[in-house]
Structure formats: C-alpha cells, structure tokens
C-alpha cells in the first residue's frame, strides 16, 4: 500500500500508519505483527514501530502477541459521522420538497473546485446529465457551487479556483474573474444562486445554503428543472420560496440536533491493562 505518493508534501510515514489502521476490519479484528506487515505491505520492523507508536497513542492495544484497534479510532471519524446526521435530518424535508415541486432536489458540499453530491431525491426526467450520490461537477457551473464558493474569503476563493477539477468535465466559467466575483457577491447578498444551462443544455437550477447551529454554511441544496419545461421566472417565483423554507427547516432541525445532550465517558479498560498499570 505504501509508496504511492508522488507530491512533494506527501508524508510516507503518515500514509503507512493509516495503512496499518486500515488493515483491521470485521474479519481481521485481531492480527499478529506478521499479519499486519503482510497486509500493509511493510517490512516487519517498520510495522512493529508503527504498531507500537499507535499503541502509545491509544489507537491500538496488544494482548497475547496480537494487536487490536481500540475505541479511540472512532474519534478519527466523529466529524464525518456528525455530518452524516445532517443528511438523516434533511431526507424527509427533501422528500417533502420534491413532492411539492415535482422536481429533483439535491444537497452538495464543496470539494476542491468541485461540488460533491451527498444527498438526493429525484424524479424521472429526460435531462442531459446523470446525477447520483458521489457525482461531482465544477462548482462555478452549478447553482450549489456558487452558493458554496460565495461563502469563502477572497484568498480562499482564489486558491480554490486554481485547483484542477476532478469532475471529468471541461470547466467553462463563461465569464471573466471579475464578473464571477461580482456574481458571487450578489449570491452572498441575496442568499441564493441560479445556474441557467451553464453545466449542460437544458439543465437549470436554483440553490440556497444550509447552515448549522452556529450559522456556518455546511452544504447547499437545490431544485433542478428542465429548461424546456420550466422557465426561470417559475423557478424563482414558485420553487425558490419553497426551497428557502425547506433549507430553513433543515437548518433549524440541524441546530436542535447539535444541541442535544451529550456525555463522553472513557471506555472500560480490560483487566489485563489494569494489571499492567
């Protein structure tokens, strides 16, 4: 697994440590040093040093010549798990919005210079592009991307726009940088963004931000229509108010979820660990 990095800032030791953690799964809950070294494609001395380091940090425990993960590894994914709560909260609201508009609705986050779709409720439509969870598009060509780009500080926005897109589509800004900055300023001021056949012919959408309890924009959600069926006027006058209301409801529910009572306790240490201490 190790040795695949090519960038000048790639940290091989960190990659190898993550490789070691990734060796453990439901079928390999307990592994010997030799098994870890083989699974991670590491020399035995290297695997040993990494395991002992992870043990000292509390992510791994050893017993009887084998190594196991500890519950502390859950902390590495808690931010992502917490974010998943947003989609669970959003799903019924998205479904209700789609029933009222008869159009598809999605949620996306910014990933580099692209948007990444993380939730979607769709209706059958003859549309130029296929969209599903995990689909990515150049942010500047989408309504959701404009909403998310508009939240960035000038320096962060500038650096974000220099990141190559991984969407597999040509990125056509269709405007000068100054015109884009002016549009994003308008998006920030009015609280919504429109993309009118910028991503593909026939694809028209409007998007708004979804915020957490602190008011930070966590995602963007949209309503997408076929340009031949739904005019811009109808999209903005009929669907946008429903979209804004839905985003507000999701944001409010998300704030309540974040404020839930929560207590963290230390895991019970095994008897062997108590004896060693």
């Amino acid at each position: 697994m190790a040795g695949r990095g090519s960038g000048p800032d790639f940290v091989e030791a960190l990659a190898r440590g993550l490789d070691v953690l990734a060796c453990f799964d439901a079928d390999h809950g307990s592994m010997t040093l030799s098994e870890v070294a083989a699974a991670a494609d590491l020399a035995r001395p290297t695997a040993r040093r990494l395991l002992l380091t992870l043990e000292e940090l509390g992510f791994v425990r050893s017993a009887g010549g084998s190594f196991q993960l500890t519950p502390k590894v859950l902390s590495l994914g808690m931010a992502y798990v917490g974010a998943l709560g947003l989609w669970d909260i959003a799903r019924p609201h998205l479904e209700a919005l789609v029933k009222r508009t008869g159009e598809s609705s999605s949620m996306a986050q910014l990933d580099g210079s692209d948007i990444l779709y993380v939730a979607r409720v769709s209706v059958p439509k003859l549309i130029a592009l296929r969209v599903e969870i995990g689909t990515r598009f150049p942010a500047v060509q989408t309504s959701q991307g404009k909403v998310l780009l508009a939240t960035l500080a000038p320096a962060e926005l500038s650096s974000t726009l220099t990141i190559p897109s991984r969407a597999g589509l040509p990125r056509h800004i269709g405007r000068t940088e100054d015109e884009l900055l002016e549009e994003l300023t308008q998006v920030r001021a009015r609280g919504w963004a429109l993309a009118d056949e910028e991503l593909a012919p026939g694809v028209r959408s409007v998007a708004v931000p979804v915020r957490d309890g602190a008011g930070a924009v966590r995602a963007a959600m949209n309503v997408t229509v076929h340009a031949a069926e739904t005019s811009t006027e109808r999209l903005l006058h009929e669907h946008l108010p429903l979209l804004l209301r839905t985003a507000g409801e999701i944001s409010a529910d998300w704030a309540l979820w974040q404020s839930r009572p929560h207590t963290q306790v230390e895991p019970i240490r095994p008897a062997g660990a108590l004896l060693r201490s």
Side-chain angles (χ1 to χ4, degrees):
M1 297 181 193
R4 64 283 187 202
S6 58
D9 297 320
F10 186 83
V11 181
E12 187 66 39
L14 175 59
R16 289 173 173 172
L18 294 174
D19 286 343
V20 168
L21 291 177
C23 290
F24 296 89
D25 56 29
D27 297 322
H28 303 88
S30 180
M31 303 178 71
T32 64
L33 171 58
S34 297
E35 290 171 336
V36 170
D41 193 22
L42 296 171
R44 184 183 170 94
T46 301
R48 178 178 179 276
R49 289 196 301 272
L50 290 170
L51 283 167
L52 292 179
T53 299
L54 291 168
E55 183 177 25
E56 188 171 343
L57 293 173
F59 293 107
V60 170
R61 68 165 63 99
S62 60
S66 295
F67 294 87
Q68 300 174 335
L69 298 182
T70 73
K72 188 175 180 180
V73 297
L74 295 174
S75 65
L76 299 175
M78 282 310 296
Y80 179 70
V81 172
L84 287 178
L86 174 57
W87 319 134
D88 292 333
I89 291 168
R91 187 174 298 111
H93 294 288
L94 283 171
E95 292 173 349
L97 176 64
V98 169
K99 287 181 180 179
R100 296 189 68 179
T101 63
E103 305 289 353
S104 299
S105 181
S106 306
M107 298 186 74
Q109 289 183 303
L110 196 63
D111 183 17
S113 63
D114 297 330
I115 60 165
L116 183 70
Y117 281 76
V118 294
R120 179 168 172 80
V121 177
S122 62
V123 295
K125 290 279 182 177
L126 291 176
I127 205 159
L129 294 172
R130 179 179 177 180
V131 179
E132 55 191 20
I133 304 302
T135 296
R136 60 173 63 240
F137 293 129
V140 293
Q141 293 167 240
T142 68
S143 58
Q144 291 170 298
K146 293 176 186 179
V147 166
L148 296 170
L149 291 172
T151 68
L152 302 180
E156 187 178 6
L157 173 62
S158 180
S159 62
T160 296
L161 292 177
T162 63
I163 300 173
S165 171
R166 292 185 290 150
L169 295 173
R171 186 170 73 177
H172 299 298
I173 296 179
R175 60 187 76 81
T176 66
E177 183 176 344
D178 287 342
E179 290 172 336
L180 175 61
L181 293 177
E182 182 179 354
E183 181 180 9
L184 294 180
T185 299
Q186 295 175 353
V187 169
R188 190 181 307 112
R190 69 193 180 197
W192 55 269
L194 176 70
D196 192 1
E197 299 190 84
E198 297 172 44
L199 185 62
V203 180
R204 177 177 290 153
S205 70
V206 64
V208 301
V210 176
R211 303 177 184 273
D212 63 13
V217 176
R218 297 290 300 272
M221 62 181 296
N222 73 352
V223 170
T224 301
V225 301
H226 196 294
E229 297 178 354
T230 305
S231 66
T232 301
E233 290 73 18
R234 184 185 175 197
L235 178 63
L236 297 181
H237 294 157
E238 295 184 20
H239 297 333
L240 177 57
L242 297 175
L243 178 63
L244 286 166
R245 185 184 309 168
T246 302
E249 292 169 349
I250 293 173
S251 298
D253 284 356
W254 175 242
L256 288 174
W257 188 89
Q258 286 182 304
S259 65
R260 71 200 186 286
H262 175 249
T263 301
Q264 182 172 334
V265 297
E266 291 297 325
I268 298 175
R269 299 169 63 187
L274 291 175
L275 290 176
R276 287 197 298 270
S277 62

